[in-house]
Amino acid sequence: MKPSSGELDRTSRGANENAGIWALGNGLVSTTLVSYFAQSLGAQSAAISWIIAAPKLVGVLRWFAPSLLKLGGSFRTTTTVAFLLSTVFLLVLPLCAVPEIWPSATVAISAIVLCWCMYHLAEYCGYVVFLAWLMQLVPPDVRGRFFGLRERWLTAGNLVGFLFAGLLGATLRNGFELDLRWIAYPLLAIYGALAIAFSVLPLRRIPEPETTSLPKHSLLEDWRHWSGARARWFLLYGTWFSAANGLFSTLLYVYPYRALDLSLFLPLVMAASMRLGQSLISRPVGVTIDRIGWRSVMIGGQVLIAFGPLLYSFGTAGFVAGNLVWIAYALINVALPIAIVDGRHDRSAAPPLALYFAWTGLVYGLTALLGQSIADLFVETEYRHDPSAYNTYFYVATLARLSAVLPLVFLPTERKSHT
């Protein structure tokens, strides 16, 4: 049944307010922040690979997210509990900075990875259920505009979080000459957890769907969505892109810290600038998707973002330019959930979302671990303080990401919608 305009307005307000507050917390506790935190405790590139990969590996369990609806009893309850549980693990993360608790820095770093994993697992499960909730309330013909506006709130919240984190770190480091590992990093984890906890309050605005039927949940039922040629091509795209990102991700985090010797401030400012750009274009991107479909938009976005690593090869200026090019991630971020469900408008949207994110997350996680060996192959440890040593790595990373556009190019013609 098509929701009334009033219900759709309440859904939009609740989803957007949730997005802005949640993204603020997410921006305060980013992968960049956690990788800097771990490196300040002595973590080497292998540990950074685990920080990047491990959340994705445990994220395969999000395939069971639709089953959580049976335990939660409703979309609202299940989403709320999952998001609140994620904050618990963020609140534990600062304890990794207390030296008296851990027998060694290695154990503390392992604890960081564990907390980071569990935070993401709870967040991933809540996100899948939340998306399925929204897909049931938002008609297919306005999903581009809906998710485009929500993406704007997400990126705006991220922007504020990144800026605050960067300014706090720079102030404490330069103004008070404090060691960030003991103060700034733990404080930001606590602030981020509190913001995410408050993000569940706007969920009360969003109507609960009338139907109480739950989707069948078995591997066979879930896989049926991906049995058609169109769906298989799209899943190939997700697999290809995830593998390209995973194989060539480790040194993207090591490079600014070791080769360029950048403080945390500039990476976070660039992340904030990237989110600002994404926020500005997300709504127009959504309108474009509603008019011409998501396929062309995703192709354009994929081509643009592929050149980020290539720009990194130009030093600090290239690092800045690469992050600005990644504004184009907005094209993929807005289109992705619409593309996955491909017009579905009931609870049958949950299994495709769960399976897609679980599978591509697993691919990313496994390849990110393999990426440590790839990193060693291209840039030996003793040369990682030399920016020019990374050039070949960045060239290959660009080609890997660019080639991921091929499954989208050969994707069968887009169908409009079905229920």
Side-chain angles (χ1 to χ4, degrees), residues 30-47:
S30 61
T31 302
T32 300
L33 174 77
V34 174
S35 67
Y36 266 62
F37 183 18
Q39 289 180 88
S40 73
L41 295 174
Q44 300 302 311
S45 56

Side-chain angles (χ1 to χ4, degrees), residues 350-361:
L353 288 164
L355 193 57
Y356 177 88
F357 286 122
W359 169 250
T360 55

Side-chain angles (χ1 to χ4, degrees), residues 100-259:
E100 292 79 8
I101 294 180
W102 312 101
S104 67
T106 301
V107 177
I109 294 168
S110 299
I112 290 175
V113 174
L114 178 61
C115 289
W116 195 231
C117 284
M118 299 309 296
Y119 156 67
H120 276 90
L121 177 58
E123 173 202 302
Y124 289 155
C125 290
Y127 181 66
V128 167
V129 174
F130 188 38
L131 275 184
W133 184 7
L134 296 179
M135 289 298 177
Q136 193 162 342
L137 296 171
V138 182
D141 58 349
V142 296
R143 284 178 181 171
R145 278 162 282 186
F146 180 92
F147 284 102
L149 183 58
R150 185 171 186 272
E151 184 68 19
R152 175 173 289 180
W153 281 73
L154 280 169
T155 52
N158 269 167
L159 184 156
V160 175
F162 283 133
L163 282 178
F164 181 84
L167 289 172
L168 179 65
T171 300
L172 293 178
R173 180 179 183 178
N174 300 327
F176 297 92
E177 298 183 352
L178 295 175
D179 192 332
L180 299 185
R181 82 187 83 173
W182 311 127
I183 298 179
Y185 299 150
L187 277 178
L188 289 170
I190 293 171
Y191 293 158
L194 293 176
I196 292 173
F198 278 110
S199 74
V200 304
L201 295 178
L203 298 182
R204 295 178 299 176
R205 290 182 180 271
I206 303 176
E208 187 72 28
E210 294 179 2
T211 178
T212 58
S213 61
L214 293 173
K216 293 181 179 180
H217 186 55
S218 67
L219 182 58
L220 179 60
E221 291 289 337
D222 292 357
W223 192 254
R224 283 178 180 172
H225 175 80
W226 303 103
S227 60
R230 175 182 175 80
R232 286 198 301 268
W233 276 103
F234 188 76
L235 191 60
L236 175 60
Y237 159 73
T239 304
W240 195 326
F241 186 35
S242 297
N245 276 341
L247 286 172
F248 297 96
S249 58
T250 299
L251 293 187
L252 294 182
Y253 289 94
V254 173
Y255 179 70
Y257 185 87
R258 296 192 181 280

Side-chain angles (χ1 to χ4, degrees), residues 339-392:
I340 294 171
V341 301
D342 202 19
R344 290 174 182 259
H345 190 51
D346 55 19
R347 292 197 180 200
S348 66
L353 288 164
L355 193 57
Y356 177 88
F357 286 122
W359 169 250
T360 55
L362 177 63
V363 171
Y364 180 90
L366 292 175
T367 54
L369 291 179
L370 182 59
Q372 169 59 32
S373 299
I374 298 294
D376 291 337
L377 177 65
F378 281 94
V379 187
E380 297 180 10
T381 303
E382 58 266 29
Y383 297 111
R384 291 186 180 174
H385 291 285
D386 179 9
S388 64
Y390 293 75
N391 287 348
T392 302

